[in-house]
Amino acid sequence: MMCIRLRPRLLRREHLQVLVEAMDTVQDRLEDKSVVAAASRFFKRNFATGSDLSLYLQDLDAHSQFFPWLLWDAGLASDRLGARLVQRSSGVRGELLQALLDTSPDVYQVRHCTARTTLLERVSDGTLVGLEEPVLHTVLAQNELLVARVLDLGDCRLLDAVHACLPASARRGMVRAARRAANAPDEERLPRLMEAADRAMSRVLSVDSRLTAPDGAAIMRATAVFVVDEPRVVRAGLATAVQQGLLAERGHDRWIVTSPTIGHAGATLQLRGDRLLASTSSLDRSDDLAERLERRLPGLRRSVSLLRDLDGLLGDDGMSPAEVRRLAQDWLDEYLTSFEDTPQRSLGGITPRQAMATSHGRTQVKSILRSVQRFSDVAGAHVPKPVSLIWSGLER
């Protein structure tokens, strides 16, 4: 019994070592004419040399798609590259390499994910596959679709390369693609699935490419205005919230929300005499913020709500440039707080980090960040975190 329990852990550890060595093998063969020719078939474009291919892989960050395909699927001049690794290996390593060679890419949907187990559904036929991978719950989302390889080693299954991640809304198209790819030659399966993934993501992202707030609202500031019976008491309550890590001070009588206990991160609070102004990026968020503040701070009486369309303000001669800049700055501060992992309607309800899984998604994310920069420039406000740093972080 002890051996049975230890074997999955042994296989996981050996699997990582095998993958590192296999990827090194591919990297060393990029100059081979047969590899360059295979890459031309995979990407449907001509490469003159291995250096051209290497630059292309780097620009598109396409190693996780191309390298496994080249090792286990591509028919080179003599044999698949992975078959040569199998011939030189034995024992557990040989078993793993043979499983990689025998495993085709397919489409799976995450049905259940905990710290102990992950349950995947193969969408082509509904087969359920259980994985014991302790770290998967930190990187996978419920109902997310994966173009991936799952190794079946009898007493254990391992998740190998994940070539693409897609939102659940792409399921119908990916079911059709998976069923068609199942009858295709080995070399054509992954390219077909990746083409289908790109089409599916394009449909998701084409729903609304307009720059919006993270929850789909317009570029606006929604402010709930409270009458304060005793400013001293309210100020003390806000100071306590700062000590608890729920707020952060941003100048005299000005605070920013840092915890969802009070509201969305980046929302701002300002105490002006006997008035407390609570501002955020949508009316729904404003209502939620107001309700939480009323429960936490005694002596608040909600007076009015103000909605300011920042697009309109940019062309409004009635507003001073300084006021427009301040409102735009507050919006930018909130919008870019946790931008990378905040679902966006302009990305079809997925996060920028998820959208980076495809070339079209990367283009959409870059377009959003450029729009943010343009809005910042026009409004005269500054981007709190340079767009280039946000992009670099997403590319990792």
Side-chain angles (χ1 to χ4, degrees), residues 130 139 199 238 242 263 267:
V139 294
R199 289 195 300 270
L238 294 170
V242 171

Side-chain angles (χ1 to χ4, degrees), residues 368-385:
I368 288 176
L369 290 174
R370 285 173 177 166
S371 297
V372 169
Q373 187 65 63
R374 285 196 301 272
F375 175 75
S376 170
D377 294 341
V378 172
H382 72 274
V383 177
K385 183 179 180 180

Side-chain angles (χ1 to χ4, degrees), residues 101-148:
L101 201 61
D102 294 339
T103 300
S104 298
D106 217 321
V107 182
Y108 299 88
Q109 188 164 26
V110 180
R111 285 308 186 191
H112 185 67
C113 200
T114 69
R116 288 181 58 85
T117 60
T118 298
L119 186 65
L120 303 179
E121 177 197 352
R122 190 166 62 200
V123 301
S124 60
D125 57 10
T127 298
L128 296 178
V129 178
L131 304 173
E132 292 185 14
E133 292 278 5
V135 300
L136 286 183
H137 74 286
T138 65
V139 294
L140 298 182
Q142 188 84 1
N143 294 322
E144 188 174 28
L145 291 162
L146 309 175
V147 177

